[in-house]
Amino acid sequence: MPQPHESPRWVFDASPPSGQRRGGDPSEYAFNHTLDSFVREALQNANDQSLPHGSARAEVRLDLDQLTGSDLENFLTALDWNVLLRHLRGAADVTTISKFRSFADATRKRDRLVLLRIEDRHTSGLVGDEDTGESNFRALCRDSLLSHKQSDGAGGSYGLGKSVYWAFSEFSTVLFHSCLHDAGPRQHRLLGRIELPSHLVGKAAFMGPGWFGRCERVPGGDRAASLWDEQALDMAQRLHMARPPRITGTTILVVGFRDPTVDDQEEGDIADLLTRIRQSAARFFWPAMNFARPLRILVGGEPVAESREVSDFVATWNQRSRAGIRLEKPGDVAVRQIPLPLPRRRNDKHSPESGHCDLLVRLADPSPQDPSNLDSTLAAFRGPGMVVKYHIVDPAGTLPRFHAILACGEGRDPETKTPGDHAIETFLRTCEPPGHDEWRTTPRLKDDYLKGGGVAVNKLLDEACKAIRELLVAPTTDAQRGPELLQRRYPLGSVGDPTSAPSASPFNFSDLDAQFIDGCWRFSGIVEPVIRGHAWTATITLKMLGDDNGEADRLKIADFALRDRKGGKFEHTADGSVRISAARSVNELAFTGESERLPGGDQLCELGLEISGELHRKADV
């Protein structure tokens, strides 16, 4: 057995007895190798490892270093460069793999080396056994095309996202230093991995990949195992991967970082690369950065803030609790619920949970001084808070300028997740291809769900776009009359409030609004008790009014939501009304809803909204 502090070195797997050759890592070809794809995958992988709720959410730092002179020499010495170089030159002789053709010439005249360091904090770290089980360590450092993420809300599910690290390394070389959460007696761990095609070094044939660590004898030959604690910390210092003490997480070092879409990466490109990384982080992770437990991202030592490109989306998200049902002036935000019918999962006899996604639309300034290329688009995301897709709603430019959000699954209301939200989260995760940049029919969707999933996911964006157009297109004359009729004809039912006169209602309405669209009434408003300090219940009923202002018929409330949920809840009643319950600390509740489709389709009626209820005698009810 080797000594505990034997110098770490590279160990490569020999070619198998079958003589099979390997042309590199196949997962590299699952992605478009753009800087956006790198940033999305790197940040999402870190975000997926956040510690459980109640702890600080993940913090991710991305930094670029450029090594020259003695710093470069010392780094290459620590990296066992002489051994690595022989294998790189062997890979350069594999002429069918263009990435490695120039290695031999480039390494002879190398005078600088760019390192990209991705450091996540307050995450679980690379926990797991060296050989067995499913773990973060095995998924990232050992296995290929396997994912061990257990959460249905995780960003990745294919085990492909990690391939971007090697794709963006000039030498296909990546190093890992981790401080483990709940690690037991050993906490710090370090290992490196290189992805090469099958190659020869002299007469010795190698399968391709190699690992950097402590060489140890195992049945069948040698392998590189993790460095631990004192030796790991010493090597991390020499390899520019030192971490702050006692903060769990993982530092990933991409050796020889370069943007494969750029032919010649010059010395002056470092500042430009940092700027582009910062812009990409803001473009795709503004939802996660604005959740109640925000993801914190730093690039080049500076926190990533919302950019002008996404500031209108952030404003839309932050106004969601005050959203109404119509848009009248720039800055107004409207909300619609977009149902997502879910198919049944295979081997699951229970009926699927029903749920919906929240569509938020904000009317923008029609003549901005600095328009964005994301104007009049729909940003769609789910629980992790990464924008999966920016969808162009109006390519012809016929609609007023707007910004829209489709918040789905556990990203719809991150602090109050329902069973329906969880079911949608799981469903949409299976609808994402390896690049996690759209929702569509995938092989995994067909494997996990019965027929109907493809139709449902394809219809989701169509329904969202339809709702956006309805909100932005000028309403008909009848629809414009709707809010006036509603505000004029709301009877307030008599109630049993012991502290007020029998004829007085203990409730007030404000901000009442309604719109008649597609044969349904969509309404919103705020209800508040006249006397505060009491728990209260209220029942909201919709009525069709006749010519004499009397009740002609009742309308069932098909959809209903409370925009401010803290301290309030609701339930649908058997007669089609909605009963709201609120704690004594709740002074008002904003609501939105939609009636059932009216008899006769699009024939407009006059609408009455009635509220009845009571203030409870005991303030602590």
Side-chain angles (χ1 to χ4, degrees), residues 39 50-51 96 113 141 181 185 195 198 218 245 248 301 347 405 414 438 464 488 495 539 556-557 571:
V39 172
S50 290
L51 295 176
T96 57
L113 184 66
C141 300
H181 178 71
E195 285 291 345
S198 297
V218 294
T248 62
N347 303 319
I405 294 170
E438 61 178 321
R488 192 173 70 241
V495 298
T539 300
K556 290 185 178 180
I557 299 176
E571 60 180 348

Side-chain angles (χ1 to χ4, degrees), residues 151-173:
S151 169
D152 287 334
S157 59
Y158 291 86
L160 292 167
K162 64 191 177 189
S163 69
V164 297
Y165 301 132
W166 289 270
F168 277 71
S169 166
E170 187 177 357
F171 308 119
S172 287
T173 301

Side-chain angles (χ1 to χ4, degrees), residues 419-621:
D421 292 336
H422 180 74
I424 289 176
E425 183 76 21
T426 304
F427 173 74
L428 289 178
R429 188 183 182 215
T430 68
C431 295
E432 291 175 12
H436 304 289
D437 53 1
E438 61 178 321
W439 291 322
R440 59 173 173 80
T441 302
T442 63
R444 180 154 292 178
L445 173 64
K446 293 180 178 179
D447 288 343
D448 289 358
Y449 288 86
L450 298 176
K451 187 176 180 180
V455 173
V457 72
N458 291 335
K459 193 176 179 181
L460 177 62
L461 281 181
D462 290 341
E463 290 297 314
C465 292
K466 178 182 176 183
I468 291 171
R469 294 187 185 97
E470 290 174 351
L471 286 165
L472 293 170
V473 173
T476 65
T477 302
D478 283 342
Q480 290 174 344
R481 289 199 303 122
E484 298 174 5
L485 298 173
L486 175 62
Q487 292 180 38
R488 192 173 70 241
R489 303 183 187 279
Y490 60 88
L492 299 178
S494 60
V495 298
D497 171 28
T499 64
S500 62
S503 60
S505 169
F507 300 105
N508 283 332
F509 281 131
S510 60
D511 292 347
L512 282 172
D513 200 359
Q515 191 172 9
F516 188 70
I517 297 175
D518 290 342
C520 302
W521 278 102
R522 291 171 181 169
F523 59 93
S524 65
I526 297 175
V527 60
E528 57 182 325
V530 174
I531 300 175
R532 299 183 176 183
H534 294 262
W536 52 277
T537 58
T539 300
I540 294 178
T541 303
L542 293 183
K543 297 183 177 182
M544 297 169 58
L545 301 181
D547 294 336
D548 59 353
N549 294 335
E551 178 181 338
D553 200 356
R554 287 202 173 192
L555 279 175
K556 290 185 178 180
I557 299 176
D559 286 303
F560 190 83
L562 294 175
R563 304 308 305 165
D564 304 302
R565 295 186 175 186
K566 294 182 178 179
K569 59 183 180 180
F570 72 91
E571 60 180 348
H572 290 270
T573 64
D575 62 358
S577 300
V578 167
R579 182 181 295 112
I580 300 172
S581 302
R584 62 176 178 170
S585 59
V586 178
N587 296 326
E588 65 178 30
L589 285 173
F591 60 85
T592 61
E594 180 177 318
S595 75
E596 64 179 347
R597 186 174 177 83
L598 265 67
D602 294 332
Q603 183 177 356
L604 180 66
C605 71
E606 295 189 19
L607 181 68
L609 189 152
E610 179 181 270
I611 183 170
S612 60
E614 64 178 328
L615 302 178
H616 296 291
R617 292 178 180 273
K618 294 183 179 180
D620 59 348
V621 173

Side-chain angles (χ1 to χ4, degrees), residues 182-481:
D182 293 335
R186 299 190 295 184
Q187 187 170 42
H188 287 272
R189 180 181 219 165
L190 188 144
L191 192 75
R193 176 173 174 174
I194 186 171
E195 285 291 345
L196 297 179
S198 297
H199 60 277
L200 296 174
V201 176
K203 295 183 179 181
F206 296 91
M207 184 64 176
W211 287 265
F212 176 76
R214 179 174 57 85
C215 183
E216 66 178 15
R217 174 71 63 177
V218 294
D222 292 340
R223 64 115 179 249
S226 302
L227 305 178
W228 287 97
D229 293 334
E230 182 181 345
Q231 191 177 16
L233 289 170
D234 176 67
M235 187 54 61
Q237 188 73 38
R238 297 173 62 189
L239 292 173
H240 297 257
M241 300 176 69
R243 294 180 54 85
R246 294 180 297 279
I247 295 181
T248 62
T250 300
T251 299
I252 299 173
L253 194 74
V254 181
V255 181
F257 181 82
R258 89 308 184 228
D259 182 348
T261 64
V262 177
D263 291 335
D264 295 306
Q265 186 170 286
E266 301 296 335
E267 184 173 346
D269 292 339
I270 297 298
D272 177 64
L273 270 173
L274 286 172
T275 298
R276 291 167 59 204
I277 290 171
R278 187 176 294 109
Q279 291 171 340
S280 184
R283 183 180 306 122
F284 293 105
F285 286 87
W286 61 262
M289 292 162 56
N290 285 277
F291 283 169
R293 294 179 66 226
L295 173 67
R296 190 163 184 255
I297 306 170
L298 295 90
V299 176
E302 299 178 6
V304 173
E306 71 181 59
S307 62
R308 171 64 194 90
E309 185 180 43
V310 302
S311 59
D312 289 299
F313 291 100
V314 175
T316 305
W317 178 251
N318 289 337
Q319 288 177 247
R320 64 193 185 280
S321 64
R322 303 187 300 278
I325 63 170
R326 59 187 300 173
L327 302 171
E328 296 179 343
K329 62 183 184 301
D332 284 355
V333 176
V335 62
R336 291 282 184 88
Q337 295 180 353
I338 308 298
L340 180 55
L342 299 177
R344 181 174 295 171
R345 301 191 75 171
R346 296 188 185 276
N347 303 319
D348 188 348
K349 297 181 180 179
H350 297 90
S351 298
E353 291 282 350
S354 60
H356 65 272
C357 304
D358 277 359
L359 173 68
L360 300 164
V361 184
R362 186 173 188 263
L363 190 60
D365 184 345
S367 302
Q369 292 183 349
D370 51 348
S372 164
N373 61 354
L374 294 180
D375 288 346
S376 297
T377 61
L378 170 67
F381 62 86
R382 56 181 180 88
M386 180 184 77
V387 175
V388 172
K389 183 179 182 66
Y390 283 105
H391 182 71
I392 300 174
V393 177
D394 181 33
T398 59
L399 296 174
R401 183 170 167 266
F402 70 92
H403 298 88
I405 294 170
L406 187 63
C408 304
E410 295 181 353
R412 186 185 66 83
D413 188 351
E415 297 305 301
T416 311
K417 303 170 185 176
T418 67
D421 292 336
H422 180 74
I424 289 176
E425 183 76 21
T426 304
F427 173 74
L428 289 178
R429 188 183 182 215
T430 68
C431 295
E432 291 175 12
H436 304 289
D437 53 1
E438 61 178 321
W439 291 322
R440 59 173 173 80
T441 302
T442 63
R444 180 154 292 178
L445 173 64
K446 293 180 178 179
D447 288 343
D448 289 358
Y449 288 86
L450 298 176
K451 187 176 180 180
V455 173
V457 72
N458 291 335
K459 193 176 179 181
L460 177 62
L461 281 181
D462 290 341
E463 290 297 314
C465 292
K466 178 182 176 183
I468 291 171
R469 294 187 185 97
E470 290 174 351
L471 286 165
L472 293 170
V473 173
T476 65
T477 302
D478 283 342
Q480 290 174 344
R481 289 199 303 122

